[in-house]
Amino acid sequence: MAANTETISAVEKATKDYKYGFVTDIETEFAPKGLSEDIVKFISKKNDEPLWLLEWRLDAYRKWLKMNTEEPKWANIHFPKIDFQDAYYYAAPKSDADKPKSLDEIDPEILSTYNKLGIPIKEQEMLAGIVGSGNVAVDAVFDSVSVATTFKSKLSELGIIFCPISEAVKKHPDLVKKYLGSVVPQTDNFYAALNSAVYSDGSFVYIPEGVRCPMDLSTYFRINAAETGQFERTLIIADKGSYVSYLEGCTAPMRDENQLHAAVVELVALDDAEIKYSTVQNWYPGDENGKGGIYNFVTKRGACRGVNSKISWTQVETGSSITWKYPSVLLQGDNSIGEFYSVAISNKKQQADTGTKMIHIGKNTKSTIISKGISAGHGQQTYRGLVRMQAGADNATNFSQCDSLLIGKNCGGHTVPYIDSRNPTAEVAHEATTSKISDEQLFYVQQRGLNPEEAVALIVNGFAKEVLKKLPMEFAVEAQKLLGVSLEGSVG
Amino acid sequence: MSTTLEIKDLYVEVDSKEILKGLSLKIEHGEMAAIMGPNGSGKSTLASVLAGKEGYNIVNGTIKYLGNDLLKMSTEERASSGVFLAFQYPVEIPGVATSTFVRTALNAQRRNRGEDELDAMEFLKLARQKAKELEMSEDFFQRAVNVGFSGGEKKRAEVFQMSMLSPTLAILDETDSGLDIDALKIVAEGVNKLRDNKLSGIVITHYQRLLDYLKPDTIHILADGKIIKTGDKSLALLLEEKGYQGITGAN
């Protein structure tokens, strides 16, 4: 079925609420539907993987089978049971076989997709590999498999590795073998086990000792094939005294069937290292009735393994029909720091159960949690966070602030903080507020000349400011626009 | 055409209760009109109806603003065409810097009018100039809109916004309430600096003292939902002396 201009414009017209709701026509190579050892072997073979990794995947698959009755049920989300045998687990653009060296060689359909996503010209130039065109390196993940990786040479001069994880497995097997699954074990949870078995590809980053990565590393994810589960696997290692800022941003085309996404992201920070991981997520949230949106079950966890290390998660979650996500930090090293800054929007029938876990293990560890939840329409939003002070976490401190903003009468905001302190010298502070956008506020802003949607966007951006300012500049601008777009139709 | 605003026979209900009962009022270009009246007479309702707040049922009457049917315009259309309401209780918007707010508003209005938006530098230059004219410190540019402002600061910030948006019709809804005499003077002087032959104003107040500084051209007494007396400054003095009952003749 060709997505010609007419089709695209028809789809865009039909889905004008979601401006990225279009479909790119690329011949997709599917594995057959369903999940079995054969499918796991197929994916491993497609990626040309070594035996150890195949065995690791099969091991995960067998563990997942045993967990099959253990789909997490504690989250405040409701959806029809997923038939894991009724989905595809592998899809790759055909052009993958012959990886392009420049923009000219990239499928025009993909380029046009980038254009529709509003990827800045500058970054497109960087995709084209034009030297000196900027300082954001993009590892573009298109439908599971990376089709373009840029700035490799600039990064490799510093010894930085930034490549698809499938490539890292071949070129840097020792690093992958050492760290893969070391933060999120195969059996961590149901979705992590599934991911370990069938992950298609993802990004791999290694920053060598003492190196400060000179640019924000950036990956655009995009789910493109109908009924294809997306199972990305990201592994970032910051060696001693290094620093990296990593950006992840995503949009997805419109589909009728629910699309399952179960990514795993693992971060490792060694002594004195710092990782800053920022996400702007805008996957299709479903229609007015919640039909067709992405199911996003993500396991993101960082380990502050070294002394004085720091891991910071910043997320802006506006998309998906269901979000199940708890970017967490294991504060193992003494004096290590964990941060979680989150803005999440639930509009229409969206459901989000999101938060973080800060596990304080080392002495003098410190964590900060700032969560801003916005509910509109029939959206339901739950902040769920755990702060645990282990027995050895002397003088550890945590500060948590969870604010909910409600727009309209039919939405819900919930805060579920778990605090578990096993050390008498540790300090935990939790603050929570719930507020509404009042008619007075809306009238005041409209009286100054803004239409109702602009007014809501302004007020919401003010509410989320504390988190937005943590994002890298270009991401912050994008995120501000996204908050407005995501809340369109929530008033009036 | 020299009339800015013409209200004819306006009847307005709130929650099925009649508040304005046949109010008529005409404001010419450059005219500053004061509306005085006892509590519950409908002063703030009039301000809200003019600005386009929801929840007011217009039962009867017409409002012409610069020749257009004001009641057919949305709140933001009214703002963009020059209607400005200085709020009796300015609203807090946490996290939004005052300068961001005013710039967003100004550019929204310019966009609605088909004018080019001001860039950050042009805006800052204008904001600095206006702040200087109003003898305000620039510190408040970065403070969140009305958050933690004192009563006087809120009212001055309203006047600053007004000066930035340069309206055609400014409605000051009890701008004097909660101000001590010094703050009152400053606010009134701020408004006076904005007065020219293009700006028309409606000053809603309980008290004579604001009018000492604002010097309105006309004074209207609003009681029980309509204008019952119109006059010049002497009317305000009379009111001060005799009270509303003395003027309305009620017991």
Side-chain angles (χ1 to χ4, degrees), chain B residues 217-244:
Chain B
D217 303 302
T218 45
I219 291 175
H220 306 268
I221 309 290
L222 176 61
D224 196 27
K226 56 187 168 199
I227 303 292
I228 55 148
K229 218 170 185 86
T230 297
D232 61 11
K233 192 172 159 51
S234 60
L235 185 58
L237 294 171
L238 191 67
L239 186 68
E240 192 87 331
E241 192 186 316
K242 295 194 170 177
Y244 288 112

mmCIF file of all heavy atoms in Angstrom, chain B residues 217-244:
data_model
loop_
_atom_site.group_PDB
_atom_site.id
_atom_site.type_symbol
_atom_site.label_atom_id
_atom_site.label_comp_id
_atom_site.label_asym_id
_atom_site.label_seq_id
_atom_site.Cartn_x
_atom_site.Cartn_y
_atom_site.Cartn_z
ATOM 1 N N ASP B 217 -13.170 62.995 33.490
ATOM 2 C CA ASP B 217 -13.972 63.997 32.789
ATOM 3 C C ASP B 217 -15.424 63.918 33.225
ATOM 4 O O ASP B 217 -16.109 64.929 33.311
ATOM 5 C CB ASP B 217 -13.889 63.766 31.276
ATOM 6 C CG ASP B 217 -12.452 63.798 30.801
ATOM 7 O OD1 ASP B 217 -11.801 64.828 31.026
ATOM 8 O OD2 ASP B 217 -11.986 62.779 30.235
ATOM 9 N N THR B 218 -15.865 62.680 33.439
ATOM 10 C CA THR B 218 -17.269 62.513 33.820
ATOM 11 C C THR B 218 -17.364 61.543 34.990
ATOM 12 O O THR B 218 -16.512 60.674 35.152
ATOM 13 C CB THR B 218 -18.104 61.926 32.664
ATOM 14 O OG1 THR B 218 -17.377 60.840 32.099
ATOM 15 C CG2 THR B 218 -18.410 62.951 31.609
ATOM 16 N N ILE B 219 -18.424 61.691 35.748
ATOM 17 C CA ILE B 219 -18.665 60.777 36.855
ATOM 18 C C ILE B 219 -20.092 60.249 36.745
ATOM 19 O O ILE B 219 -21.037 60.995 36.493
ATOM 20 C CB ILE B 219 -18.460 61.493 38.207
ATOM 21 C CG1 ILE B 219 -16.957 61.801 38.344
ATOM 22 C CG2 ILE B 219 -18.938 60.621 39.368
ATOM 23 C CD1 ILE B 219 -16.601 62.594 39.555
ATOM 24 N N HIS B 220 -20.162 58.895 36.838
ATOM 25 C CA HIS B 220 -21.479 58.259 36.758
ATOM 26 C C HIS B 220 -21.733 57.532 38.057
ATOM 27 O O HIS B 220 -20.843 56.868 38.578
ATOM 28 C CB HIS B 220 -21.517 57.242 35.609
ATOM 29 C CG HIS B 220 -21.113 57.824 34.294
ATOM 30 N ND1 HIS B 220 -22.021 58.364 33.413
ATOM 31 C CD2 HIS B 220 -19.887 57.947 33.714
ATOM 32 C CE1 HIS B 220 -21.365 58.799 32.336
ATOM 33 N NE2 HIS B 220 -20.067 58.557 32.502
ATOM 34 N N ILE B 221 -22.942 57.645 38.546
ATOM 35 C CA ILE B 221 -23.304 56.903 39.744
ATOM 36 C C ILE B 221 -24.119 55.689 39.319
ATOM 37 O O ILE B 221 -25.140 55.812 38.636
ATOM 38 C CB ILE B 221 -24.173 57.752 40.716
ATOM 39 C CG1 ILE B 221 -23.510 59.105 40.984
ATOM 40 C CG2 ILE B 221 -24.433 56.972 42.007
ATOM 41 C CD1 ILE B 221 -22.261 59.059 41.802
ATOM 42 N N LEU B 222 -23.600 54.516 39.709
ATOM 43 C CA LEU B 222 -24.283 53.280 39.386
ATOM 44 C C LEU B 222 -24.963 52.764 40.647
ATOM 45 O O LEU B 222 -24.329 52.599 41.687
ATOM 46 C CB LEU B 222 -23.262 52.254 38.880
ATOM 47 C CG LEU B 222 -23.736 50.843 38.553
ATOM 48 C CD1 LEU B 222 -24.779 50.856 37.453
ATOM 49 C CD2 LEU B 222 -22.555 49.973 38.138
ATOM 50 N N ALA B 223 -26.260 52.540 40.546
ATOM 51 C CA ALA B 223 -26.976 51.996 41.700
ATOM 52 C C ALA B 223 -28.058 51.060 41.198
ATOM 53 O O ALA B 223 -28.745 51.368 40.220
ATOM 54 C CB ALA B 223 -27.588 53.127 42.530
ATOM 55 N N ASP B 224 -28.139 49.917 41.846
ATOM 56 C CA ASP B 224 -29.137 48.905 41.504
ATOM 57 C C ASP B 224 -29.163 48.600 39.999
ATOM 58 O O ASP B 224 -30.210 48.563 39.364
ATOM 59 C CB ASP B 224 -30.527 49.355 41.987
ATOM 60 C CG ASP B 224 -31.496 48.190 41.995
ATOM 61 O OD1 ASP B 224 -31.032 47.029 42.141
ATOM 62 O OD2 ASP B 224 -32.704 48.428 41.819
ATOM 63 N N GLY B 225 -28.004 48.472 39.429
ATOM 64 C CA GLY B 225 -27.912 47.959 38.063
ATOM 65 C C GLY B 225 -28.054 48.971 36.951
ATOM 66 O O GLY B 225 -28.117 48.605 35.784
ATOM 67 N N LYS B 226 -28.151 50.240 37.285
ATOM 68 C CA LYS B 226 -28.144 51.219 36.193
ATOM 69 C C LYS B 226 -27.546 52.554 36.626
ATOM 70 O O LYS B 226 -27.402 52.825 37.821
ATOM 71 C CB LYS B 226 -29.542 51.414 35.618
ATOM 72 C CG LYS B 226 -30.586 51.829 36.613
ATOM 73 C CD LYS B 226 -31.959 51.802 35.921
ATOM 74 C CE LYS B 226 -33.051 51.918 36.947
ATOM 75 N NZ LYS B 226 -34.340 51.469 36.445
ATOM 76 N N ILE B 227 -27.212 53.354 35.618
ATOM 77 C CA ILE B 227 -26.632 54.664 35.901
ATOM 78 C C ILE B 227 -27.773 55.586 36.314
ATOM 79 O O ILE B 227 -28.720 55.800 35.544
ATOM 80 C CB ILE B 227 -25.933 55.250 34.643
ATOM 81 C CG1 ILE B 227 -24.866 54.305 34.110
ATOM 82 C CG2 ILE B 227 -25.370 56.639 34.949
ATOM 83 C CD1 ILE B 227 -23.667 54.121 34.986
ATOM 84 N N ILE B 228 -27.661 56.123 37.511
ATOM 85 C CA ILE B 228 -28.771 56.965 37.970
ATOM 86 C C ILE B 228 -28.421 58.455 37.955
ATOM 87 O O ILE B 228 -29.295 59.299 38.065
ATOM 88 C CB ILE B 228 -29.231 56.567 39.380
ATOM 89 C CG1 ILE B 228 -28.037 56.591 40.342
ATOM 90 C CG2 ILE B 228 -29.887 55.202 39.398
ATOM 91 C CD1 ILE B 228 -28.442 56.980 41.723
ATOM 92 N N LYS B 229 -27.133 58.739 37.836
ATOM 93 C CA LYS B 229 -26.785 60.154 37.789
ATOM 94 C C LYS B 229 -25.451 60.321 37.078
ATOM 95 O O LYS B 229 -24.548 59.499 37.238
ATOM 96 C CB LYS B 229 -26.662 60.705 39.212
ATOM 97 C CG LYS B 229 -27.194 62.121 39.353
ATOM 98 C CD LYS B 229 -27.278 62.515 40.831
ATOM 99 C CE LYS B 229 -27.914 63.877 41.002
ATOM 100 N NZ LYS B 229 -29.382 63.859 41.074
ATOM 101 N N THR B 230 -25.335 61.342 36.264
ATOM 102 C CA THR B 230 -24.090 61.622 35.570
ATOM 103 C C THR B 230 -23.747 63.079 35.780
ATOM 104 O O THR B 230 -24.623 63.931 35.732
ATOM 105 C CB THR B 230 -24.237 61.313 34.065
ATOM 106 O OG1 THR B 230 -24.490 59.921 33.909
ATOM 107 C CG2 THR B 230 -22.978 61.693 33.296
ATOM 108 N N GLY B 231 -22.454 63.316 36.019
ATOM 109 C CA GLY B 231 -22.079 64.710 36.225
ATOM 110 C C GLY B 231 -20.583 64.902 36.112
ATOM 111 O O GLY B 231 -19.885 64.022 35.600
ATOM 112 N N ASP B 232 -20.077 66.029 36.589
ATOM 113 C CA ASP B 232 -18.632 66.257 36.559
ATOM 114 C C ASP B 232 -18.079 66.045 37.970
ATOM 115 O O ASP B 232 -18.736 65.453 38.810
ATOM 116 C CB ASP B 232 -18.311 67.641 36.006
ATOM 117 C CG ASP B 232 -18.922 68.739 36.860
ATOM 118 O OD1 ASP B 232 -19.403 68.429 37.985
ATOM 119 O OD2 ASP B 232 -18.928 69.886 36.407
ATOM 120 N N LYS B 233 -16.912 66.537 38.215
ATOM 121 C CA LYS B 233 -16.218 66.285 39.456
ATOM 122 C C LYS B 233 -17.039 66.660 40.696
ATOM 123 O O LYS B 233 -16.924 66.045 41.754
ATOM 124 C CB LYS B 233 -14.890 67.048 39.441
ATOM 125 C CG LYS B 233 -13.937 66.642 40.539
ATOM 126 C CD LYS B 233 -12.592 67.293 40.339
ATOM 127 C CE LYS B 233 -11.803 67.327 41.642
ATOM 128 N NZ LYS B 233 -11.725 66.033 42.322
ATOM 129 N N SER B 234 -17.867 67.665 40.520
ATOM 130 C CA SER B 234 -18.644 68.119 41.674
ATOM 131 C C SER B 234 -19.560 67.017 42.198
ATOM 132 O O SER B 234 -19.887 66.961 43.380
ATOM 133 C CB SER B 234 -19.466 69.362 41.297
ATOM 134 O OG SER B 234 -20.348 69.022 40.240
ATOM 135 N N LEU B 235 -19.942 66.092 41.304
ATOM 136 C CA LEU B 235 -20.808 64.993 41.718
ATOM 137 C C LEU B 235 -20.104 64.086 42.725
ATOM 138 O O LEU B 235 -20.701 63.615 43.692
ATOM 139 C CB LEU B 235 -21.240 64.194 40.475
ATOM 140 C CG LEU B 235 -22.255 63.064 40.689
ATOM 141 C CD1 LEU B 235 -23.530 63.592 41.326
ATOM 142 C CD2 LEU B 235 -22.558 62.388 39.358
ATOM 143 N N ALA B 236 -18.815 63.880 42.486
ATOM 144 C CA ALA B 236 -18.027 63.044 43.404
ATOM 145 C C ALA B 236 -17.927 63.708 44.772
ATOM 146 O O ALA B 236 -18.005 63.038 45.804
ATOM 147 C CB ALA B 236 -16.634 62.804 42.823
ATOM 148 N N LEU B 237 -17.773 65.021 44.753
ATOM 149 C CA LEU B 237 -17.681 65.743 46.021
ATOM 150 C C LEU B 237 -19.004 65.689 46.776
ATOM 151 O O LEU B 237 -19.042 65.500 47.984
ATOM 152 C CB LEU B 237 -17.260 67.193 45.764
ATOM 153 C CG LEU B 237 -15.845 67.348 45.195
ATOM 154 C CD1 LEU B 237 -15.584 68.795 44.760
ATOM 155 C CD2 LEU B 237 -14.794 66.909 46.226
ATOM 156 N N LEU B 238 -20.059 65.804 46.017
ATOM 157 C CA LEU B 238 -21.398 65.726 46.588
ATOM 158 C C LEU B 238 -21.606 64.365 47.231
ATOM 159 O O LEU B 238 -22.154 64.246 48.333
ATOM 160 C CB LEU B 238 -22.426 65.946 45.474
ATOM 161 C CG LEU B 238 -23.885 66.156 45.918
ATOM 162 C CD1 LEU B 238 -24.057 67.472 46.676
ATOM 163 C CD2 LEU B 238 -24.827 66.106 44.706
ATOM 164 N N LEU B 239 -21.117 63.347 46.506
ATOM 165 C CA LEU B 239 -21.251 61.965 46.980
ATOM 166 C C LEU B 239 -20.494 61.773 48.285
ATOM 167 O O LEU B 239 -20.986 61.165 49.234
ATOM 168 C CB LEU B 239 -20.721 61.022 45.899
ATOM 169 C CG LEU B 239 -20.901 59.536 46.150
ATOM 170 C CD1 LEU B 239 -22.366 59.173 46.086
ATOM 171 C CD2 LEU B 239 -20.118 58.745 45.120
ATOM 172 N N GLU B 240 -19.307 62.340 48.302
ATOM 173 C CA GLU B 240 -18.453 62.237 49.484
ATOM 174 C C GLU B 240 -19.188 62.825 50.692
ATOM 175 O O GLU B 240 -19.159 62.293 51.784
ATOM 176 C CB GLU B 240 -17.139 62.998 49.225
ATOM 177 C CG GLU B 240 -16.083 62.710 50.245
ATOM 178 C CD GLU B 240 -15.262 61.477 49.877
ATOM 179 O OE1 GLU B 240 -15.781 60.556 49.201
ATOM 180 O OE2 GLU B 240 -14.093 61.433 50.253
ATOM 181 N N GLU B 241 -19.858 63.899 50.436
ATOM 182 C CA GLU B 241 -20.530 64.643 51.505
ATOM 183 C C GLU B 241 -21.809 63.957 51.962
ATOM 184 O O GLU B 241 -22.034 63.763 53.147
ATOM 185 C CB GLU B 241 -20.858 66.045 50.959
ATOM 186 C CG GLU B 241 -21.289 67.052 52.003
ATOM 187 C CD GLU B 241 -21.724 68.334 51.311
ATOM 188 O OE1 GLU B 241 -21.006 68.776 50.368
ATOM 189 O OE2 GLU B 241 -22.792 68.883 51.671
ATOM 190 N N LYS B 242 -22.618 63.535 51.000
ATOM 191 C CA LYS B 242 -23.959 63.053 51.348
ATOM 192 C C LYS B 242 -24.077 61.530 51.372
ATOM 193 O O LYS B 242 -25.073 61.009 51.873
ATOM 194 C CB LYS B 242 -24.984 63.604 50.350
ATOM 195 C CG LYS B 242 -25.132 65.110 50.419
ATOM 196 C CD LYS B 242 -26.372 65.531 49.662
ATOM 197 C CE LYS B 242 -26.702 67.008 49.897
ATOM 198 N NZ LYS B 242 -27.866 67.430 49.119
ATOM 199 N N GLY B 243 -23.132 60.830 50.775
ATOM 200 C CA GLY B 243 -23.237 59.361 50.690
ATOM 201 C C GLY B 243 -24.177 58.965 49.569
ATOM 202 O O GLY B 243 -24.872 59.804 48.988
ATOM 203 N N TYR B 244 -24.177 57.691 49.262
ATOM 204 C CA TYR B 244 -25.002 57.214 48.152
ATOM 205 C C TYR B 244 -26.478 57.432 48.411
ATOM 206 O O TYR B 244 -27.235 57.787 47.521
ATOM 207 C CB TYR B 244 -24.737 55.722 47.880
ATOM 208 C CG TYR B 244 -23.393 55.506 47.243
ATOM 209 C CD1 TYR B 244 -22.376 54.866 47.928
ATOM 210 C CD2 TYR B 244 -23.163 55.950 45.943
ATOM 211 C CE1 TYR B 244 -21.142 54.675 47.344
ATOM 212 C CE2 TYR B 244 -21.933 55.774 45.361
ATOM 213 C CZ TYR B 244 -20.918 55.124 46.065
ATOM 214 O OH TYR B 244 -19.713 54.959 45.490
#
